[in-house]
Amino acid sequence: MRPRTIRRDAPAVPAGSGVSFIMPVLNERDYLPRAVESTLAQEVDGPIELILALAPSTDGTTELAHRMAGADPRITLVDNPAADIPVGLNLAIRASRYPTIVRVDAHSELSPGYTMQALDTLDRTRAANVGGIMHAEGHSPFQRAAAAAYNSRIGLGGGAYHGGRQEAEAESAYLGVMRRTVLEEVGLFDETIRRGEDWELNLRIRRAGYRVMFDPELAVTYRPRENWPRLARQFLATGRWRGELVRRYGSRNSLRFFAPPALVGTFAAALVVAVLRGTRALTGAAAAIAGLVFVPVAAYATVVAAFAAARRGAGCGERAWILAVVPTMHLAWGAGFLAGLARGASDTVDTSRLDGRNTPLP
C-alpha cells in the first residue's frame, strides 16, 4: 500500500511579480513568429520575458530568432545543442528570472487572456501547475484532418485537455503555467525523458503533495504536423516513450494508454487469421471462432468512417485524410508503445521536425 501523500498548497506569489515564458525551438521558421507574437501580447500584471531555447535548426529558425530578439529586449536566447525538449526547457528555466513559468510550444499560439486566467486559477486553487485546452487547427486538408482527430476523443482518447469542460484536479497539464519554487523543489524536467516529460514532471509534483489543475477556460491553438510521414514519426516516437514510462512507473500510468497497443494486437491477430483462412490452414469451427477477431476491427473501421462522414464543413480531401490519420495515430502510437515496453526508448528521438522543411502558412 502506497503511503498517503500530504496535501500542500503551492507558495503564493505577490501580484506584479512577473512571468517568464519558456519555449524550446527546433525548425519552426513558419510557426515561430505567431507563437512569439501571441506570447508577447499576453497582458500580465508585472514584467514578462520570453526565453527561447534554440536547438540546431536547418530551416533558418535560428537566424529568425536572433532578429526577433534584436528587435525586442523581452526575448532572451539560450543554446540547446542537445536538441532535446526537456534539456531546452531546463536551460530556459535556469535563464529566466520570474516566479511563474509559462511553457509555450513553438507550434502553438496562446489565446488572449490565457496567462491572466491561469494566474487567477493558480492563486485561487493554490495549485503548482495549471493547464487548459489544446485546440488543434490546421490549414491544409491533411492538417485539418489531423486537427479534427486531435480535438476528438476518437482521436486522442480521454485526456481532459482534448475536450474537458469542468475545472478539476488533473493527472497532467498541457504545456502548463507553473510556480518556480515547486519546479525547483521537485528538480525541474527529467532530461532522460525525451517525450512525455510533462506527464512525468506532473507526477513528481503530485507525489510532492501539490495540485495540478485543469482549467477549461484556458485555450492554446496547436498546429499539427504538416504531412503523413511527419505525423507517423511523431506518434511512433511518442508511443515508444509512453512504453518507457510504463516500464519506469507501471500502474501510475492511466489505463487509456493501453488502448492503442491493444488495437495493434487486434489488427495483428486479424491479419494472422486472414492469412490462415486464406491458405486454408484454418478451417471449420476453428476458423469460425477465430473469425470473431474481425468484429472489433469492423467496429473500429465503422467508427472511424462515421467520424469522417460526420465532420461538418469538411471537404472530400479532409474526410479522406481522416480515414488515414486516425488509424495512423492509433497504430503508430500503439506500435511505438509495444517497442518501448519491450526495449525501452532511451535511443528514440522524434524526427518529425528534424528535416526543417515546413509547409509555409498562408
Side-chain angles (χ1 to χ4, degrees):
M1 184 176 180
R2 294 174 184 155
R4 184 176 179 180
T5 301
I6 299 174
R7 300 304 298 270
R8 306 165 65 188
D9 288 339
V13 172
S17 298
V19 172
S20 297
F21 297 89
I22 60 171
M23 184 189 302
V25 179
L26 172 64
N27 287 329
E28 295 288 4
R29 178 194 61 207
D30 298 318
Y31 294 94
L32 186 62
R34 293 187 183 184
V36 169
E37 179 182 359
S38 74
T39 299
L40 296 180
Q42 294 293 299
E43 296 183 357
V44 173
D45 181 16
I48 67 172
E49 63 180 352
L50 171 59
I51 316 297
L52 302 182
L54 299 179
S57 295
T58 58
D59 69 343
T61 294
T62 300
E63 294 78 8
L64 173 61
H66 277 276
R67 290 196 298 271
M68 297 175 78
D72 195 318
R74 294 174 295 176
I75 301 175
T76 298
L77 308 180
V78 295
D79 289 329
N80 175 23
D84 286 340
I85 289 176
V87 174
L89 290 169
N90 286 345
L91 287 168
I93 292 169
R94 294 186 181 108
S96 66
R97 296 174 287 169
Y98 299 126
T100 301
I101 305 294
V102 181
R103 178 177 174 178
V104 188
D105 192 299
H107 231 58
S108 67
E109 299 166 31
L110 302 184
S111 61
Y114 173 89
T115 306
M116 287 297 289
Q117 172 69 27
L119 292 174
D120 177 72
T121 302
L122 285 176
D123 290 337
R124 176 169 45 81
T125 64
R126 296 294 296 276
N129 190 10
V130 60
I133 297 288
M134 174 189 190
H135 180 70
E137 292 183 5
H139 295 277
S140 67
F142 174 86
Q143 203 175 41
R144 288 195 295 270
Y150 266 93
N151 294 334
S152 167
R153 289 183 180 272
I154 291 174
L156 291 184
Y161 58 86
H162 292 300
R165 297 181 179 180
Q166 299 294 325
E167 180 181 292
E169 291 192 41
E171 175 185 16
S172 187
Y174 174 58
L175 298 180
V177 179
M178 302 163 274
R179 295 304 194 196
R180 175 189 293 277
T181 53
V182 176
L183 286 178
E184 292 174 343
E185 178 185 332
V186 302
L188 304 186
F189 288 90
D190 185 337
E191 296 182 2
T192 70
I193 298 175
R194 287 173 170 158
R195 302 289 293 180
E197 73 289 337
D198 49 352
W199 179 89
E200 190 277 336
L201 172 68
N202 284 293
L203 174 61
R204 282 185 281 124
I205 289 173
R206 291 185 290 109
R207 279 178 167 177
Y210 297 107
R211 283 178 291 281
V212 175
M213 295 297 297
F214 166 74
D215 183 351
E217 297 300 316
L218 300 176
V220 178
T221 299
Y222 172 79
R223 306 295 181 185
R225 297 299 190 266
E226 300 84 359
N227 55 53
W228 184 85
R230 282 176 178 251
L231 187 77
R233 297 202 305 268
Q234 177 193 14
F235 274 77
L236 188 65
T238 303
R240 185 154 182 181
W241 274 104
R242 177 52 57 180
E244 171 69 28
L245 291 173
V246 169
R247 285 166 64 99
R248 297 191 191 191
Y249 300 103
S251 62
R252 290 187 177 273
N253 290 265
S254 172
L255 286 176
R256 64 188 175 88
F257 294 131
F258 293 85
L263 181 67
V264 171
T266 301
F267 270 67
L271 179 61
V272 170
V273 170
V275 170
L276 292 176
R277 290 175 63 170
T279 59
R280 304 195 63 78
L282 194 64
T283 58
I289 294 172
L292 293 175
V293 74
F294 297 123
V295 174
V297 172
Y300 176 81
T302 300
V303 168
V304 174
F307 175 58
R311 177 69 173 156
R312 293 181 180 179
C316 294
E318 181 180 334
R319 294 179 195 276
W321 272 122
I322 288 175
L323 297 176
V325 161
V326 174
T328 295
M329 287 180 170
H330 294 162
L331 296 176
W333 199 100
F337 178 98
L338 293 173
L341 191 63
R343 302 193 300 273
S346 60
D347 60 341
T348 301
V349 176
D350 178 6
T351 62
S352 62
R353 290 182 185 165
L354 292 184
D355 60 15
R357 292 190 297 273
N358 291 330
T359 300
L361 298 177

